[in-house]
Amino acid sequence: MANKIALITGASRGLGKDSALQLAKKGFDIILTYQTKKEAADEVVKEIETLGQKAFALPLDISTTAGFDQFVTEVKDVLDTQFGSAKLDALVNNAGIGINESFETTTEETLDSMTNIHFKGPYFLTQKLLPLLNDGSSMVNLSSGLARFSSQGYSAYGAMKAAIDSLSRYQALELGSRKIRVNSLAPGAIETDFDGGAVRDMSEVNKYLASETALGRVGLPDDIGSVVAFLCSDDSKWINAQRIEVSGGYRI
């Protein structure tokens, strides 16, 4: 039987990279996207191949819909030529950037950027990829703990992630006839290069966030990737339309 295939956006580093590796460990072949870091993406492909799975990296700018039709064509070609398959079995909308700016000083340009990257991009990319998703597929949309709790300077980012939580429920409802499951996964503070690597590199920030977390530490990429892989697999076959926060119990 052919392996299942997952498409993960923004997987050259951070949570996307770990999700790709965790999915590969569960037997998925991977198509991953990157925006500019081709070399890093190629390294992830090599790591996946050492796990015995197939992988292929494609460029994608999630901030503009202009290239989406071309991207979908490329995904079709890769599925056919590299994987000998016509369809995907999982889609992980992970690509994004962090921004910390006060509500008072956030510009229209910044808000438009956050909207395009975190909401409009995933909305229309998913819409265009629907014909390439097998019935019974699983979709995971990356949200954020910042959609539940508030932290200074994240009004634009947090609001977009709250929109993703809502969108995921609507997608689950409307795609249910195809047995496609849709869930949103909301990480807490994680040690990555997100937001300039503040959680990873600034010890006082790390210490404070850990003190606010029931399990007494901040998260690591592996804490998230393993849950993404679970949600894409048949192990979670009856989980649908849920917002799953993976934060170790932050501010509970």
Side-chain angles (χ1 to χ4, degrees):
M1 196 174 83
N3 290 335
K4 288 190 172 185
I5 304 167
L7 169 61
I8 309 175
T9 64
S12 63
R13 57 188 176 85
L15 302 185
K17 174 183 176 179
D18 196 82
S19 298
L21 294 173
Q22 296 290 343
L23 276 162
K25 288 175 185 176
K26 274 192 173 285
F28 280 79
D29 291 333
I30 308 291
I31 298 174
L32 59 103
T33 80
Y34 63 92
Q35 185 173 1
T36 56
K37 296 181 168 61
K38 183 181 188 303
E39 287 182 8
D42 288 341
E43 283 300 314
V44 179
V45 168
K46 286 179 187 172
E47 284 190 58
I48 292 168
E49 289 172 345
T50 64
L51 294 169
Q53 302 301 128
K54 294 178 183 174
F56 199 89
L58 288 172
L60 173 67
D61 181 358
I62 197 69
S63 70
T64 172
T65 60
F68 286 3
D69 285 335
Q70 174 64 25
F71 175 74
V72 172
T73 299
E74 289 172 358
V75 171
K76 279 184 193 171
D77 291 344
V78 167
L79 283 170
D80 180 38
T81 61
Q82 303 296 319
F83 299 95
S85 175
K87 299 285 182 78
L88 298 162
D89 302 284
L91 170 62
V92 182
N93 284 304
N94 166 77
I97 60 169
I99 188 164
N100 185 290
E101 199 167 313
S102 74
F103 169 73
E104 194 175 11
T105 59
T106 295
T107 63
E108 187 172 355
E109 182 182 25
T110 296
L111 185 62
D112 284 346
S113 173
M114 286 288 99
T115 303
N116 290 339
I117 291 169
H118 291 288
F119 186 73
K120 183 179 177 182
Y123 190 107
F124 286 110
L125 181 65
T126 300
Q127 187 187 78
K128 288 181 180 294
L129 285 169
L130 283 178
L132 295 186
L133 281 172
N134 271 320
D135 288 358
S137 293
S138 177
M139 194 186 305
V140 179
N141 295 320
L142 266 289
S143 176
S144 170
L146 290 159
R148 174 179 66 83
F149 51 78
S150 302
S151 187
Q152 198 75 25
Y154 288 105
S155 64
Y157 179 83
M160 289 307 116
K161 292 304 190 180
I164 283 294
D165 287 336
S166 180
L167 173 63
S168 299
R169 291 190 293 272
Y170 278 96
Q171 289 172 327
L173 177 68
E174 296 196 23
L175 301 178
S177 60
R178 290 184 54 192
K179 304 296 185 283
I180 293 174
R181 298 183 296 112
V182 187
N183 295 288
S184 60
L185 187 155
I190 310 290
E191 289 188 11
T192 67
D193 58 8
F194 177 83
D195 199 14
V199 177
R200 181 191 62 200
D201 302 332
M202 298 174 68
S203 61
E204 286 305 309
V205 172
N206 191 301
K207 192 174 174 183
Y208 168 72
L209 293 169
S211 74
E212 293 279 300
T213 304
L215 294 182
R217 66 171 176 85
V218 299
L220 300 170
D222 172 66
D223 295 320
I224 306 302
S226 57
V227 183
V228 170
F230 164 71
L231 290 173
C232 288
S233 75
D234 290 339
D235 292 341
S236 61
K237 62 184 180 292
W238 202 234
I239 299 176
N240 193 25
Q242 300 303 301
R243 177 191 187 273
I244 298 171
E245 187 170 310
V246 188
S247 67
Y250 183 75
R251 290 191 190 169
I252 54 175

